[in-house]
Amino acid sequence: MIQKTFGKFTKWNVLKNLIIREIDDLIIGSLGIVAFISFFVGGVVAIQTAINTDNPLLPGYLVGFATRQSIILEFAPTFISIIMAGKVGSFITSSLGTMRVTEQIDALEVMGINTYNYLIFPKIIALTLYPFLISFSMALGILGGYLACVSGGFSSHADFIDGLQLDFRAFHIVYAFIKTFLFALLLATIPSYHGYFMKGGALDVGKASTTSFVWTSVAIIITNTIVTNLLLT
Amino acid sequence: MIKINNLIKSFEETQVLKGISTTFKKGKTNLIIGQSGSGKTVFLKCIIGLFEADGGDIIFDNTSLKSMNVKARALLRQEIGMVFQGSALFDSMTVEENIMFPMRMFTSASNEEIKDRANTVIKRVNLVNANSKLPSEISGGMKKRVAIARAIVMNPKYLFCDEPNSGLDPRTAILIDNLIQEITSEYQITTVINTHDMNSVMEIGEKIVFLEHGIKQWEGTNQEVFKTDNEAVTKFVYSSEMFKKIRKVYIDESK
């Protein structure tokens, strides 16, 4: 499938519009849910950390530090990706599955179009912008944590900012974006596979979406474990 | 003209097409009929290249499909128009965009030229005030018209229709049949229609190929189908009392 996706390219004028539409559907269309989840989960992570580390022997900056590490290393790249496997992945599988069931893919093939390139390539290109979505999630998660902590009286402004800046390693950002990029490829290809090769009727579109979500999530978790072992240990 | 020689197609252990040979003539409406499961759709999909045949050959105007390389096959596909059973219109595009789509993909014509051509075929299939509507906003009959318009916008040499009047009311079905026949004759297209609609057989069957269990049982015209003694054909075509009476009247009148 991947080989055919990068073979016989669709006319650029058409492909350009398809890529723009996919960016709108997959990236811009996900900003709202990512912002909402990141902001509030960032707040909860900070509050939970503050409540569970209220020992006076522990430094005040710990809350900011733990919030930053949790969000940058795991929450934004991995858990947002699993949420995206549900949102973006299901969208990809169901839209391709519906095209298969209603013979729209056959119609493209009869015309002599490379349907892999026409349908899947724009999704892969659109999802190369996925790290942008994760940066947005990181920023809003930390902002949510900061506002929840400071406004709730769990930490002072100075302590939280100290914690955010403490022992900052740029490689952690590199690590987060390496795995984000790999997750983006999984998010584009696994749901596309399940949608493109779907067989059956309308009911099977729903089943294919569920299967695609399960396999994408499993692949993300396994990839996360492997990448973490390779890069951080 | 399309010539089929001894076409064979199997799926795993099941042989669906068991050596079908026939010829579909240019400017004629050629019908493939048969019961569900007789191999009609597989036969049609083999001809248009959605399935690769296991044996035999398909000859498009003296050029064998076997002898064509990838580039030649791609060019051949641009000469093929296809009307799918469910119309297969692209949901995200308007009626006009659906019709313009093949030209956008395969020609270097300007936007205005493409629009002009699209409007010509829109008029030809009698689509009124539908240009900016989405497929979900139009009726089944209109969808078929859009599918026909999209199929003929590139001036195809070959037109394939998979049950073009399924799901339509009898009056619209006849209108669609007549439209296909008119277009076939007007543009001198080789049209192949897969159907089990007996009205279509009687009305537009200039050549009829009857399939049963993957074998060609009979072929002839809509006039000959009245006279045939082939048991399989008469059982299938005259399964209803109404058609039995029509046949009797036809035979009595021709005596």
Side-chain angles (χ1 to χ4, degrees):
Chain A
M1 183 184 92
I2 298 291
Q3 194 184 358
K4 285 180 179 169
T5 301
F6 290 92
K8 196 192 166 194
F9 268 75
T10 306
K11 211 171 162 182
W12 172 243
N13 281 345
V14 177
L15 197 61
K16 181 182 67 184
N17 292 331
L18 291 172
I19 292 170
I20 292 169
R21 200 181 72 197
E22 296 294 354
I23 290 172
D24 187 41
D25 284 342
L26 306 180
I27 303 292
I28 311 289
S30 302
L31 281 172
I33 186 75
V34 167
F36 180 80
I37 293 173
S38 302
F39 185 81
F40 286 101
V41 173
V44 171
V45 166
I47 293 169
Q48 292 275 21
T49 310
I51 290 170
N52 289 291
T53 56
D54 60 349
N55 190 319
L57 294 175
L58 293 171
Y61 56 72
L62 188 64
V63 181
F65 176 76
T67 304
R68 184 198 77 199
Q69 292 297 85
S70 309
I71 287 172
I72 288 178
L73 294 176
E74 281 311 313
F75 170 73
T78 310
F79 290 95
I80 288 292
S81 294
I82 287 173
I83 290 163
M84 286 299 106
K87 189 195 176 287
V88 169
S90 295
F91 173 75
I92 291 173
T93 305
S94 57
S95 58
L96 288 178
T98 305
M99 286 187 81
R100 174 62 76 196
V101 170
T102 56
E103 296 180 307
Q104 291 176 52
I105 296 180
D106 288 346
L108 289 166
E109 275 179 9
V110 170
M111 288 176 201
I113 293 165
N114 176 1
T115 49
Y116 296 92
N117 182 263
Y118 181 83
L119 296 169
I120 300 170
F121 180 76
K123 294 179 190 352
I124 294 175
I125 297 302
L127 279 167
T128 57
L129 295 180
Y130 185 61
F132 157 76
L133 202 63
I134 295 304
S135 317
F136 181 64
S137 165
M138 287 173 181
L140 279 177
I142 290 170
L143 178 69
Y146 167 80
L147 289 176
C149 261
V150 174
S151 65
F154 297 104
S155 172
S156 69
H157 165 80
D159 277 348
F160 196 90
I161 298 296
D162 273 355
L164 284 184
Q165 293 171 342
L166 182 76
D167 192 24
F168 179 78
R169 294 181 200 176
F171 182 70
H172 284 173
I173 300 284
V174 175
Y175 154 79
F177 282 116
I178 287 172
K179 66 181 189 177
T180 297
F181 187 74
L182 293 173
F183 296 160
L185 291 179
L186 297 175
L187 281 171
T189 51
I190 296 173
S192 293
Y193 174 83
H194 283 278
Y196 189 93
F197 292 104
M198 209 215 80
K199 281 180 183 150
L203 187 66
D204 300 283
V205 176
K207 283 181 188 167
S209 296
T210 311
T211 312
S212 139
F213 169 69
V214 170
W215 281 111
T216 311
S217 304
V218 168
I220 286 171
I221 296 293
I222 291 171
T223 307
N224 188 35
T225 311
I226 294 168
V227 171
T228 305
N229 266 303
L230 288 174
L231 297 180
L232 291 189
T233 58
Chain B
M1 189 183 75
I2 303 170
K3 200 172 176 194
I4 316 287
N5 285 334
N6 198 27
L7 201 70
I8 295 167
K9 176 70 186 169
S10 301
F11 293 98
E12 293 169 0
E13 300 296 300
T14 316
Q15 195 173 39
V16 180
L17 303 180
K18 299 167 184 169
I20 297 175
S21 300
T22 190
T23 303
F24 299 123
K25 286 180 185 164
K26 186 180 173 184
K28 303 278 180 202
T29 43
N30 303 278
L31 268 59
I32 306 166
I33 62 168
Q35 284 183 318
S36 300
S38 59
K40 299 191 301 288
T41 302
V42 174
F43 184 43
L44 196 74
K45 287 190 173 181
C46 282
I47 302 172
I48 59 176
L50 284 178
F51 290 151
E52 193 73 33
D54 299 328
D57 199 8
I58 303 159
I59 298 157
F60 289 87
D61 288 322
N62 303 321
T63 312
S64 160
L65 192 66
K66 273 183 179 171
S67 70
M68 292 184 198
N69 58 20
V70 176
K71 202 176 174 187
R73 283 189 183 206
L75 288 172
L76 172 71
R77 286 194 166 189
Q78 288 171 35
E79 294 181 332
I80 289 176
M82 173 83 193
V83 178
F84 284 86
Q85 189 175 355
S87 301
L89 302 179
F90 304 123
D91 296 330
S92 57
M93 298 180 196
T94 63
V95 162
E96 192 180 49
E97 285 167 347
N98 261 287
I99 295 167
M100 292 193 297
F101 180 78
M103 288 196 78
R104 286 235 162 101
M105 290 297 289
F106 298 111
T107 69
S108 51
S110 69
N111 205 33
E112 281 186 1
E113 285 170 326
I114 293 173
K115 274 203 164 190
D116 279 351
R117 173 68 188 148
N119 283 322
T120 307
V121 291
I122 284 170
K123 273 185 196 158
R124 182 63 195 86
V125 300
N126 304 319
L127 266 172
V128 186
N129 298 330
N131 288 27
S132 56
K133 287 184 177 163
L134 289 169
S136 56
E137 296 168 341
I138 58 176
S139 66
M142 283 172 92
K143 279 182 191 166
K144 295 285 180 185
R145 287 175 194 276
V146 178
I148 293 168
R150 187 178 68 184
I152 62 168
V153 74
M154 293 276 283
N155 278 324
K157 285 166 86 174
Y158 316 100
L159 178 65
F160 297 91
C161 307
D162 189 13
E163 302 195 14
N165 44 23
S166 70
L168 299 179
D169 64 84
R171 190 167 172 267
T172 311
I174 289 168
L175 288 174
I176 294 295
D177 278 345
N178 291 339
L179 177 65
I180 294 170
Q181 193 175 34
E182 283 163 24
I183 286 167
T184 301
S185 169
E186 195 177 317
Y187 299 110
Q188 283 298 296
I189 305 170
T190 307
T191 297
V192 181
I193 303 170
N194 186 353
T195 187
H196 45 218
D197 183 275
M198 287 310 117
N199 282 323
S200 304
V201 173
M202 303 299 179
E203 289 281 329
I204 61 165
E206 291 174 287
K207 162 132 191 204
I208 301 161
V209 175
F210 177 71
L211 300 187
E212 192 181 51
H213 308 304
I215 297 166
K216 185 186 78 179
Q217 285 284 4
W218 181 85
E219 67 180 358
T221 65
N222 54 359
Q223 300 302 312
E224 288 165 349
V225 83
F226 281 112
K227 300 171 196 164
T228 181
D229 294 328
N230 185 303
E231 200 183 335
V233 179
T234 49
K235 257 188 186 174
F236 177 73
V237 177
Y238 304 106
S239 53
S240 80
E241 286 304 315
M242 190 185 77
F243 280 112
K244 278 177 192 161
K245 281 176 188 167
I246 291 172
R247 187 189 190 207
K248 193 173 178 299
V249 169
Y250 180 86
I251 291 170
D252 289 347
E253 277 181 0
S254 57
K255 273 178 187 172

